[in-house]
Amino acid sequence: MAELTMTTFLTLDGVMQAPGGPGEDESGGFPHGGWLVPHFDDDMGKTMDEVFSKADAFLLGRTTYDIFAAYWPRITDPNDPIASKLNSLPKYVASRTRTTFTWSGTSHVRDVVKEIVEIKKRYPREVQVHGSCGLAQTLIEKDLIDEYRLLTFPVVLGTGKKLFGAGAVPAMLKLVRSGTTSTGVVVSVYRRAGSLKTGSFALD
């Protein structure tokens, strides 16, 4: 059975909104779209190529689906390791507002908490979540993510949608590996490590 993995671009203050360009997601009056782009380098490209090489399917929120569907079908180079995966592999979209999607290979997911187990059973490797802030909140709250790939950029924004919201269940994560790109992006891979443990430095 596949694992459910999440790959997310984050600022130092945890913002994951609109990394790809101005106008990408201005909801809530967000003015900083495109904050990732100046830090994209060959190291980042290799990291993302490796991530997508492990995908058997994708699970996306509706907003991320709309962003991807407006861009990736236009990249038709069969040797592009990201476009070839996104355009050819199954895509599942969790949405309460839409049920039909035009991008080839896309299916609707009505209740992601109930349906994700069956979706995972269909694939041997990874069902990948990219972006999808609202969907991420649900998956985190229900402790459904098997592995996090967090790419943390040396940027502070102060406003914007964050990965871990108020509904996140307190838990431990285990760092599997980490590295740094030439532009200072920290690439970290975490896996679940059980419920939260606490202690005390008190002398008494």
Side-chain angles (χ1 to χ4, degrees):
M1 183 170 71
E3 291 196 329
L4 185 63
T5 67
M6 177 174 289
T7 301
T8 304
F9 303 133
L10 297 171
T11 63
L12 284 172
D13 51 345
V15 175
M16 60 182 294
Q17 186 173 357
E24 183 177 85
D25 178 4
E26 296 177 328
S27 59
F30 185 70
H32 304 300
W35 53 265
L36 175 154
V37 178
H39 300 276
F40 199 96
D41 61 359
D42 288 342
D43 293 338
M44 179 69 62
K46 291 175 182 176
T47 296
M48 296 312 299
D49 289 350
E50 179 185 2
V51 167
F52 277 87
S53 73
K54 300 176 181 179
D56 279 347
F58 301 97
L59 174 64
L60 305 172
R62 185 193 56 78
T63 298
T64 297
Y65 167 84
D66 287 342
I67 293 169
F68 280 14
Y71 179 83
W72 288 108
R74 298 162 59 189
I75 309 300
T76 58
D77 180 0
N79 295 315
D80 186 302
I82 296 177
S84 60
K85 291 285 188 175
L86 284 169
N87 288 323
S88 65
L89 293 181
K91 293 165 285 290
Y92 298 90
V93 181
S95 176
R96 298 185 182 93
T97 58
R98 283 176 57 189
T99 59
T100 59
F101 305 90
T102 58
W103 195 2
S104 176
T106 303
S107 303
H108 177 233
V109 176
R110 189 175 304 276
D111 188 331
V112 69
V113 175
K114 291 182 179 179
E115 296 180 50
I116 189 56
V117 174
E118 290 303 315
I119 292 173
K120 288 170 64 175
K121 287 180 180 178
R122 299 173 192 170
Y123 307 101
R125 299 192 302 163
E126 294 185 5
V127 176
Q128 295 186 350
V129 180
H130 293 268
S132 306
C133 184
L135 171 62
Q137 302 299 313
T138 299
L139 297 174
I140 292 168
E141 181 179 346
K142 300 300 182 181
D143 194 26
L144 293 171
I145 304 296
D146 296 301
E147 182 172 280
Y148 293 90
R149 297 187 184 106
L150 306 182
L151 288 75
T152 306
F153 289 72
V155 174
V156 175
L157 298 180
T159 61
K161 299 174 183 177
K162 298 187 177 183
L163 176 60
F164 294 104
V169 177
M172 305 286 285
L173 296 175
K174 177 183 178 181
L175 179 63
V176 177
R177 61 184 180 275
S178 66
T180 308
T181 72
S182 69
T183 61
V185 179
V186 179
V187 182
S188 307
V189 179
Y190 294 93
R191 296 186 67 83
R192 292 185 294 185
S195 58
L196 180 68
K197 298 177 182 178
T198 63
S200 175
F201 287 111
L203 296 177
D204 298 326

